[in-house]
Every structure is written in structure tokens, then in C-alpha cells.
Amino acid sequence: MITLCGFSLSNYYNKVKLALLEKGIPFQEELVMTKSKEEAVLSCTPLGKIPFIRTDKGALCESQAIMEYLESAYPQPALVPADAFAAAKVRELITFIELHLELVARDLYGQAFFGGTCSDADKERVRKQLNKTIPAFKRLAKFSPYIAGDSFTMADCAAWVSLHLVAMATKAVLGEDLLTAHGVDWKGYTKLIGDRPAAQKVTADRKADQERMART
């Protein structure tokens, strides 16, 4: 039995959870907060990052490494095309989404979602970078109807949990949803993926956890 460790407010946790559900892999969940100093956690994820998984072979951290393990260990249903080039294009999209969009926009999250502040210099840097990388992403993304083409792939697991955060953060902090400004229909795409049973389960669990946290 795989144990998925982390918490459901993390987009990278939900990326892995969506893949587990889509592939029908049995798993259980264990609440672990980020940056834990406990040895039991650090022995699994040395930087204290989530998500990580525990398996009968040992622990594994970093969401994309986990995704690749799941695809190799549980090949059906496939979340990566059989064709080598098509598979590489899926991984290319994941890199763009996570490295060139989400990681850049993450510098806005403190102000956008957690009551912090972002300096004017950081705002300008993020705006400049996203104005460069979003059009590049748009050249790669297919949205026909899925992000890599006509089949649901692990790139959709990455996109569905992160694109809305980029849009919301830029709208809240920069005053403009930069994805929409560059012609990326993230709302329609998010709804498409969100209608899948696995995505509905991820969303319901996240909302339930948010409500529980709000009461504590």
C-alpha cells in the first residue's frame, strides 16, 4: 500500500493524488506539514518538503519523481503516451508549467493567499518573467481538449493544480490575470478537468480540509 504524505492544500500533493486516483492505485493518506523537523519525515524527504510517498521499497520525494515511479510501476492506465517523442512533449509541458509559470508566480503567493506583502521590485520581476514565459507556454500547450492533445496525461495533473494559482495570484497582486491576458483559457480547461471523478474527489477533500482548518 502506498502512503501519500503531505496535505491537501498543496498543489503538488494534489498533483500526485490526482494521478493515483486516475490510475486507480490503492493508497492511504498521512497528514504531514511542510518543513517538518522530525527525523521520521526528514529520513523520507530531506528538505522537509511535501509531498512524499512511503512504499514497501522505501520513501520517495519530489512530485515529478513520484509521478514517474507511479507510471513505471503501474503502467495502466497510462498517463504518458507510448510514443517516445509524444511522451517527451508531455514532460516538456510539465517543466514549463512548474518551472516557468508556477515557480515564478509562487513569489506572489504570500500576498495573494496568506496576508503577506510583496515588494514592488518582486512584483515587477514576476510580471516581466511571466509576460515572457506565458506566451512561450501557450505555444506548447494544445488544449485540444487536454493540455498535450486528445488524451489525459500527467501534464494535466500538473496543469490542473497550478494554472488557477498563477491566474489568481497575478490577479490579486498584479491587478491582472496574466494567463487570461495572454489568451490562455484556463477557466474552461480547469472546468474540463474538474469534471473528472478523480478531480472531483481531490477538490472535495481539499475543501473539507480547508473547512476543518478554518474551525481550528
Side-chain angles (χ1 to χ4, degrees), residues 64-79:
Q64 192 55 35
I66 296 169
M67 297 286 279
E68 298 294 345
Y69 164 72
L70 297 177
E71 191 65 20
S72 178
Y74 304 88
Q76 296 299 325
L79 294 185

Side-chain angles (χ1 to χ4, degrees), residues 82-136:
D83 177 78
F85 187 77
K89 295 298 287 185
V90 165
R91 295 181 171 98
E92 179 184 55
L93 273 166
I94 294 170
T95 299
F96 256 79
I97 293 162
E98 296 183 347
L99 182 61
H100 300 306
L101 298 184
E102 199 276 342
L103 186 61
V104 176
R106 184 167 285 262
D107 285 346
L108 306 177
Y109 290 3
Q111 180 170 328
F113 306 126
F114 305 113
T117 58
C118 185
S119 72
D120 289 341
D122 283 342
K123 291 177 186 178
E124 184 56 32
R125 174 180 53 79
V126 170
R127 183 191 298 274
K128 181 178 180 180
Q129 187 66 16
L130 288 177
N131 279 334
K132 175 182 177 181
T133 56
I134 292 173

